[in-house]
């Protein structure tokens, strides 16, 4: 550690940047050391193939991992075949490439298989202070542990595999400071949706965002992962939360986490990882969360969110002609009218899953609602619950959550991304309306003409049972 | 990577903000494991009125006469947001695009573009509007010229060219068509030295060598 380097008040992000800087390349660009690389069969196999084609090897095989999550089927009894026509090719070629390069693969039948951003913290592969990249935009999820984690393209992943480094342009720093206390039925998902609504979908572009304040400190580690997951929906470089005692407890004993003396050194160091009191951010935003309501999206961008009981905005309320045009397109696609409440819209399907909301605490929150109310999925609604990983699935089953879901009319699936996105295989059906715990409500994201409303697990389960969009959840 | 120095071509205005990579190339259009075969899926949800049957939507700009052969794309803010799929860049490049001019870009998209020789230029909203206005009068004949040496976009000969800025390293790599991995490999000794020090400082990072 350079003497006196931290005498200048420094942000958490800048500390982690300095810690990983191998050399500077230009005023804003540095060569950063990459501690962990995670790949999946959708975009990761291309990187491995590129490497093999150019006869390069993985510089540190022990720091690279791969999972099958995007294309693999989630229906019970699955194998290499998928409903997506060429799905099998992706699976087989990924397995081959992982084998050829000698990196650890969490294959379909592996007990630890699951969605990359769910299994990397679960296994202790993502840890506080580590730099971690994956050719997947939701890699920012791991910022919830205090990791420096961000999504890259396939070619960048290839670069990291070959050299253990990346050439990175340094983003500016932003702090979003949450004041006040969250109400009991308001979750981390609502918090991030509201943040995107406030800052806009491009509001984080060019920034690494630190989420801070008492409302963040009070969140569980899993909820912090949910919060950071959607930093990419702000177009941010990444999101990060300073690691604390809760994170130490979360990481301790995980398979790839350090043990014994190494653990002592690591956890001491990790607890020092926070922005200095006097650190100056390039941008500061303050959001009071005391009166925050559950959020639901009405449009085709994550910034198109409203309080669950508010009405869809009218075009005449738009700030300018551009916004009015964008709203008009979104309302047309979604089949919603300005001025109408969301409860006007019956849903066809409900989806609980994805790297945003498929951890044990998410499943518990939804199951708890079902138990408490005795409600069942409304007639005609297709409802799916997809645990994020094999570990989550087993833990949920040990508590009997699968029975709660099954008895209420949900399908209970094998771990994976499933219908978070439409790959050309399994779908909810053309043009249907879905309430979903996922992170993207883009046009066509969940299928041709599918209308996606994103929400928390609690709002999703309540809507599934009501048959229309609602967050009315009697405590 | 093909070097980029100068390019002149038809510019298609797609003046929307938050054009996401699911719109540029939907997941269902990424059918094979390879980086090619993506052009037909470019902007499929907007370009086709029926994507399965490939029936053109005549209202979409790329289906209109001069823009069918566009090699420059003009767009609003936050272009390329959403999924990190590099396929979005591969699909644009395969379709003949060399330059995207937008008010701003999502970081991963910009990085992906850079690594595939697709020039991503940021200009102010007014500058882009000026370009669109000028082109619109005669899109067939009014071509844009982009010069990476001088960092300019030349349009109306009566008007000064629009000047853009770009990271000098990125510019250098594009101009010379450098392979990034090869370039970094020249610094392998620096990486080794970093690791040697880092292993003492953060020993828990280094897992047992396979
Ligand atoms: S769950 Fe959805 S958002 Fe998350 S990694 Fe999978 S496809 Fe991407």
């Amino acid at each position: 550690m350079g003497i006196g380097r931290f005498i200048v008040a420094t942000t958490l992000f800048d500390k982690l940047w300095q810690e990983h800087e191998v050399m500077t390349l230009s005023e804003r660009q540095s060569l950063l050391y990459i501690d962990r690389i995670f790949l999946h069969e959708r975009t990761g196999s291309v990187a491995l193939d590129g490497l093999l084609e150019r006869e390069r090897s993985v510089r540190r095989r022990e720091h690279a991992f791969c999972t099958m999550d995007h294309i693999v089927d989630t229906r019970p009894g699955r194998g290499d075949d998928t409903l997506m026509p060429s799905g099998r090719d992706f699976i087989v070629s990924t397995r081959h490439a992982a084998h050829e390069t000698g990196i650890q693969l969490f294959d379909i039948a592996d007990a630890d298989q699951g969605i990359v951003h769910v299994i990397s913290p679960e296994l202790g592969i993502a840890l506080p202070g580590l730099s971690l990249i994956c050719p997947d935009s939701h890699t920012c999820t791991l910022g919830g542990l205090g990791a420096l984690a961000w999504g890259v393209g396939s070619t960048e992943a290839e670069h990291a595999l070959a050299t253990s480094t990346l050439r990175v342009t340094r983003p500016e720093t932003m702090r979003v400071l949450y004041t006040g206390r969250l109400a009991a039925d308001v979750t981390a998902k609502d918090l991030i949706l509201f943040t995107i609504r406030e800052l806009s979908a491009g509001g984080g572009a060019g920034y690494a965002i630190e989420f801070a304040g008492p409302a963040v400190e009070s969140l569980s580690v899993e909820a912090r992962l949910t919060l950071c997951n959607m930093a990419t929906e702000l177009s941010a470089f990444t999101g990060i939360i300073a690691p604390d005692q809760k994170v130490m407890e979360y990481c301790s004993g995980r398979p790839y986490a350090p043990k014994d003396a190494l653990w002592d050194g690591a956890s001491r160091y990790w607890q020092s990882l926070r922005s200095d009191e006097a650190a100056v951010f390039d941008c500061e935003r303050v959001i009071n969360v005391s009166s925050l309501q559950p959020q639901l999206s009405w449009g085709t961008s994550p910034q198109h969110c409203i309080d669950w009981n508010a009405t869809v905005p009218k075009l005449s309320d738009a700030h300018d002609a551009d916004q009015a045009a964008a709203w008009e397109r979104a309302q047309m696609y979604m089949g919603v009218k300005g001025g109408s409440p969301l409860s006007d819209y019956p849903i066809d399907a409900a989806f609980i899953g994805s790297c945003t909301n498929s951890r044990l605490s998410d499943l518990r929150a939804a199951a708890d609602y079902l138990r408490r109310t005795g409600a069942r999925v409304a007639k005609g609604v297709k409802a799916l619950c997809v645990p994020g990983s094999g570990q989550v699935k087993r833990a949920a089953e040990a508590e009997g959550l699968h029975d709660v879901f099954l008895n209420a009319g949900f399908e209970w699936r094998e771990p994976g991304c499933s219908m978070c996105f439409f790959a050309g295989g399994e779908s909810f059906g053309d043009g249907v309306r879905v309430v979903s715990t996922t992170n993207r409500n883009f046009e066509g994201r969940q299928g041709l003409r599918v209308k996606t409303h994103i929400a928390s697990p609690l709002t999703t389960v309540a809507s599934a049972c009501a048959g229309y969009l609602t967050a009315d959840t009697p405590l | 990577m093909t070097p980029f120095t100068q390019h002149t071509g038809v510019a298609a205005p797609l003046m929307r903000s938050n054009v996401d990579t699911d719109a540029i190339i939907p997941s269902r259009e990424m059918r094979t494991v390879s980086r090619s075969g993506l052009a037909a899926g470019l902007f499929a949800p907007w370009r086709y009125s029926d994507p399965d049957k490939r029936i053109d939507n005549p209202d979409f700009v790329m289906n209109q006469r001069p823009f069918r052969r566009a090699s420059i794309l003009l767009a609003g803010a936050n272009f390329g947001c959403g999924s990190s799929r590099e396929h979005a860049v591969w699909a644009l490049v395969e379709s003949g695009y060399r330059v995207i001019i937008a008010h701003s870009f999502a970081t991963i998209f910009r990085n992906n573009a850079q690594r595939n020789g697709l020039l991503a230029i940021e200009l102010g909203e007014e500058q882009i509007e000026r370009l669109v206005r000028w082109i619109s009068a005669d899109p067939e004949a009014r071509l844009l010229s982009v010069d990476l040496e001088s960092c300019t976009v030349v349009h109306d000969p009566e008007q000064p060219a629009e000047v853009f800025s770009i990271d000098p390293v990125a510019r250098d790599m594009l101009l010379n068509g450098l392979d990034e991995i090869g370039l970094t490999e020249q610094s392998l000794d620096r990486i080794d030295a970093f690791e040697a020090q880092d292993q003492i400082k953060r020993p828990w990072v280094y897992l047992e060598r396979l």
Side-chain angles (χ1 to χ4, degrees), chain A residues 70 115 117 136 138 354-355 417 420-421 439 445:
Chain A
H70 274 65
I115 304 174
H117 316 306
D136 191 284
H138 291 102
S354 90
C355 55
C417 298
C420 170
F421 78 116
N439 41 44
R445 169 81 179 176

Side-chain angles (χ1 to χ4, degrees), chain A residues 15-86:
Chain A
K15 287 181 189 179
L16 293 181
W17 182 278
Q18 284 163 10
E19 207 69 281
H20 290 88
E21 195 169 58
V22 176
M23 59 197 274
T24 54
L25 299 169
S26 73
E27 204 189 315
R28 290 203 68 90
Q29 218 187 40
S30 297
L31 190 67
L32 293 191
Y33 192 75
I34 305 300
D35 298 322
R36 300 285 182 269
I37 303 166
F38 226 128
L39 307 171
H40 58 66
E41 85 280 30
R42 183 87 182 139
T43 56
S45 63
V46 193
L48 287 176
D49 286 344
L51 211 63
L52 290 172
E53 265 166 42
R54 281 178 265 276
E55 295 180 355
R56 285 182 165 125
S57 56
V58 180
R59 188 168 174 280
R60 274 189 180 268
R61 284 185 288 157
E62 68 279 17
H63 290 175
F65 303 84
C66 185
T67 186
M68 305 270 200
D69 55 359
H70 274 65
I71 290 167
V72 61
D73 216 292
T74 55
R75 291 171 306 162
R78 66 180 175 187
D80 287 357
D81 285 321
T82 72
L83 286 174
M84 174 187 163
S86 52

Side-chain angles (χ1 to χ4, degrees), chain A residues 244-358:
Chain A
D244 61 5
Q245 193 53 37
K246 281 187 203 172
V247 174
M248 300 310 123
E249 279 157 27
Y250 176 92
C251 295
S252 156
R254 306 251 165 206
Y256 288 88
K259 309 213 162 37
D260 307 323
L262 277 184
W263 169 264
D264 296 341
S267 62
R268 246 197 326 274
Y269 166 78
W270 292 340
Q271 293 189 72
S272 75
L273 289 175
R274 67 174 71 94
S275 292
D276 297 330
E277 202 75 44
V280 179
F281 292 79
D282 297 305
C283 174
E284 283 256 23
R285 298 294 298 255
V286 179
I287 295 178
N288 187 299
V289 302
S290 294
S291 55
L292 190 67
Q293 291 278 321
Q295 302 290 301
L296 261 164
S297 72
W298 60 264
T300 55
S301 161
Q303 72 188 4
H304 296 155
C305 273
I306 50 176
D307 292 357
W308 71 281
N309 50 4
T311 53
V312 176
K314 292 192 183 126
L315 301 189
S316 53
D317 296 336
H319 292 308
D320 53 38
D322 280 355
Q323 190 176 47
W327 282 3
E328 191 177 10
R329 244 194 341 266
Q331 292 182 1
M332 194 126 86
Y333 178 88
M334 293 296 290
V336 297
K337 278 219 301 284
S340 61
L342 286 174
S343 54
D344 276 5
Y345 301 99
I347 54 166
D348 305 291
F351 179 85
I352 298 178
S354 90
C355 55
T356 321
N357 284 125
S358 65

Side-chain angles (χ1 to χ4, degrees), chain A residues 14 27 61 75 94 105 123 125 157 173 196 203 216 222 228 251 277 288 324 363 369 382 393 451:
Chain A
D14 288 328
E27 204 189 315
R61 284 185 288 157
R75 291 171 306 162
T94 301
L105 170 69
L123 295 170
I125 291 169
T173 56
I196 299 165
V216 171
E222 294 194 352
C228 287
C251 295
E277 202 75 44
N288 187 299
L363 271 43
Y369 173 86
K382 180 186 171 76
K393 183 166 184 260
K451 307 169 179 81

